[in-house]
Structures are given as structure tokens and as C-alpha cells.
Amino acid sequence: MAALKPGVIALFDVDGTLTAPRKVATPELLQFIQDLRKIVTVGVVGGSDLSKISEQLGQTVTHDYDFVFSENGLVAHKQGKLIGTQSLKSFVGDEQLKEFINFTLHYIADLDIPIKRGTFIEFRSGMLNVSPIGRNCSQEERDEFEKYDKVQNIRSKMVSILREKFAHLNFTFSIGGQISFDVFPQGWDKTYCLRYLDGFHEIHFFGDKTYKGGNDHEIYESEQTIGHTVTSPEDTMKQCQSLFLES
Ligand SMILES: [Mg+2]
């Protein structure tokens, strides 16, 4: 489908931007995107994997959008076709990953905190998720750890040691949620997907977490994009209406 305004793309975050958090997109939104697509090229970039994004935006998502970037673009689809994949394992390599994982597990073993459970490192395709208490703790134990960590700074101390020890790997460490932090190569945030959008002279990005520390911040701030902060799917439609459909 040829868009009326060539070289212009509207690129959307998923959660909180096209759908209510962790919910399915409304029929109104899906129709709006198809109307918008007659005017500009449209794309989505989400942190989740493709199966989760399909649950939220529909099983035909890779055909409904010109570009679908799942896992921040580590998996990239253009007009329904897979055009690129990247993973932690192939990028960093098993030797260096093993070194990092071994050191981290030793560090956790020596850590004196009130309780420990299981799954201290979760290996995902684009990141490692590290939890000093272990991910399979109960909700109550999570809440307790979060309080304890606020006082003892277990995670931030651990991050500063890992950052220094593995400086050569150029990892980004991101403390989020209650019990863990994420570790991934520098640049593997949502800006990763911009490498596929060289041909566009106007990249409009819409996201709800554009503040510092939010998962839309880097791409919102990027010199390659024109960033727009939205508060809900309704707000996204409203802003797109005035930007693209009324001019
Ligand atoms: Mg969001």
C-alpha cells in the first residue's frame, strides 16, 4: 500500500500507546491505524516478543503495519517478512556470557540478604535478567525485598560492581520492577530499530514512557526521531489525527 506522504513514518510503542497496559487493542484503534496507513507509513516497536505483541495487536500484526519491531527491533518484520534478527547469544558469544554469568552467580552466592529463592539469572533472547533474591519468590517476598533494597541498595551496589568489572562488554544495566535488573548491550533499547528506517526523513515516534528511565526515553530523545508523548490510545489517535489527517 503506497502512503500519500512518502518518507514519513508514524512509529508507535505498544503498551500504553496503542493499547491499555497489558490489554488488547480496541477495534477503533485498529481501524484508525488502517486509515492512517493510507496517509503515512506505520510501524510498531515493543519490548515484548512477537507472540505477546500479536496477542495485543492481533495475529495479522506483521501485515497490518509496514514495520513490526518486536524485542525493540532485535526481531524485525517489514510488510510481513522477517528482515532481521539479533540475539545476546550471537552478539556477545558464549565465552563472554559465561564469564559474566559465573561472576554474577558467585556474587549472589556471597550476598548476605534475608532470603533467597530460585532463578537468579533469567536468560532471554535480548537480555539477562538478574535477581539477587531469585525470580521465583512469592509476591509477599517480592514486596519485602523491594523495601529491603530501598534501604540496603543491594541492586545498585551490584550493578556498579558489574559495570566496572565488565566495562569491556559495554552493557547497559537497567534497574526496574521490584526484585531484578536487566543487562543488555548498549543501544539495545528502542533506538535499535532505527537502523531499519534510514529511508525516512521524518520519523514520528509516539510513546507513553518518554521520561528519563522510561523504556521510550532513548528513542523519544533520539536526533533521528520527532518524539511525541501520549497518555493513552485515545490520546495517540487524537495527536495523529491533528498531525497527519488534518493537514
Ligand atoms: Mg509503553
Side-chain angles (χ1 to χ4, degrees):
M1 199 182 311
L4 264 182
K5 294 181 179 172
V8 180
I9 181 169
L11 182 64
F12 302 95
D13 161 52
V14 181
D15 236 29
T17 300
L18 293 183
T19 75
R22 293 180 294 280
K23 295 279 163 51
V24 169
T26 63
E28 291 76 17
L29 184 282
L30 296 177
Q31 184 56 51
F32 183 84
I33 293 295
Q34 293 317 305
D35 293 342
L36 183 63
R37 198 181 176 190
K38 293 171 189 154
I39 311 293
V40 294
T41 302
V42 295
V44 291
V45 54
S48 310
D49 63 19
L50 185 59
S51 80
K52 184 80 188 93
I53 290 177
S54 305
E55 276 172 33
Q56 289 180 277
L57 297 181
Q59 294 306 315
T60 54
V61 65
T62 57
H63 296 276
D64 297 339
Y65 294 78
D66 299 289
F67 291 90
V68 175
F69 301 114
S70 44
E71 300 173 48
N72 291 346
L74 297 186
V75 177
H77 283 83
K78 180 183 181 181
Q79 271 134 18
K81 280 209 246 10
L82 184 67
I83 55 166
T85 59
Q86 178 59 285
S87 71
L88 191 61
K89 195 180 130 166
S90 56
F91 185 74
V92 182
D94 271 321
E95 203 47 48
Q96 306 220 53
L97 278 172
K98 190 177 72 181
E99 224 180 285
F100 182 88
I101 290 169
N102 286 352
F103 182 90
T104 302
L105 287 173
H106 274 292
Y107 183 95
I108 292 172
D110 291 334
L111 204 53
D112 187 18
I113 55 178
I115 61 163
K116 284 181 193 171
R117 294 297 180 251
T119 315
F120 300 99
I121 299 180
E122 188 172 87
F123 189 85
R124 301 179 183 167
S125 58
M127 68 169 72
L128 295 169
N129 177 268
V130 179
S131 173
I133 180 179
R135 294 196 63 79
N136 57 7
C137 57
S138 68
Q139 185 57 49
E140 199 186 344
E141 290 161 350
R142 267 176 182 263
D143 298 341
E144 281 305 311
F145 179 83
E146 187 182 25
K147 277 190 237 158
Y148 182 79
D149 191 42
K150 275 200 179 116
V151 179
Q152 302 291 335
N153 296 310
I154 302 299
R155 286 184 290 176
S156 58
K157 280 181 205 158
M158 190 169 173
V159 161
S160 64
I161 285 165
L162 291 173
R163 188 176 273 140
E164 195 187 318
K165 168 92 182 155
F166 294 95
H168 58 286
L169 294 183
N170 271 322
F171 281 152
T172 294
F173 296 82
S174 167
I175 298 178
Q178 294 179 286
I179 56 161
S180 65
F181 58 88
D182 294 332
V183 185
F184 50 89
Q186 217 168 61
W188 284 26
D189 48 58
K190 284 181 182 163
T191 59
Y192 188 90
C193 77
L194 296 175
R195 69 193 61 206
Y196 294 108
L197 302 178
D198 269 352
F200 293 89
H201 65 262
E202 230 177 281
I203 302 171
H204 290 268
F205 172 76
F206 299 83
D208 64 319
K209 295 202 167 118
T210 56
Y211 49 82
K212 193 160 171 39
N215 63 10
D216 297 320
H217 183 71
E218 291 84 1
I219 189 168
Y220 172 80
E221 288 278 293
S222 165
E223 282 182 6
Q224 288 172 261
T225 67
I226 302 163
H228 305 274
T229 304
V230 301
T231 54
S232 64
E234 293 69 36
D235 186 38
T236 302
M237 288 190 272
K238 206 176 111 205
Q239 292 197 35
C240 284
Q241 179 78 31
S242 68
L243 267 167
F244 305 117
L245 301 173
E246 286 167 6
S247 52

